[in-house]
Amino acid sequence: MFNKIANVLSIVSFVMVASMSGGAYFGYKYVTSENFKAKVMNQILDQVQGLMPDILDNELPNLTGASIPMPKKQMKFID
């Protein structure tokens, strides 16, 4: 009786380890693929583009003042 239980538990354990290993392998392959990188970059760029007008409106001044005059330096010529 114990032998049958041990065999069933061994088979269940093997199936679990094999499925976890296979899932980890295919998950790693998916995360490192070019399709995944492109999908993530598109999502990030969509979010950033949505935020940019708000950030630019809040940070850039509406009006600017006159430029600061530059001091005039006298040039000295060395003979």
Side-chain angles (χ1 to χ4, degrees):
M1 177 72 177
F2 177 74
N3 194 16
K4 288 183 181 181
I5 294 172
N7 285 339
V8 169
L9 289 177
S10 174
I11 292 171
V12 169
S13 174
F14 173 76
V15 169
M16 288 176 55
V17 168
S19 65
M20 289 174 58
S21 298
Y25 173 76
F26 287 114
Y28 174 77
K29 286 300 222 180
Y30 176 70
V31 168
T32 57
S33 70
E34 291 297 321
N35 291 337
F36 181 75
K37 290 178 187 177
K39 183 187 276 188
V40 169
M41 285 299 290
N42 286 336
Q43 288 178 351
I44 290 172
L45 289 177
D46 287 343
Q47 290 177 357
V48 169
Q49 287 175 351
L51 294 175
M52 285 305 285
D54 294 336
I55 293 173
L56 291 176
D57 289 341
N58 292 339
E59 295 297 324
L60 293 176
N62 292 334
L63 299 173
T64 58
S67 62
I68 299 173
M70 297 293 290
K72 294 184 178 181
K73 293 184 179 179
Q74 293 182 352
M75 299 182 101
K76 295 182 180 178
F77 294 105
I78 300 175
D79 292 329

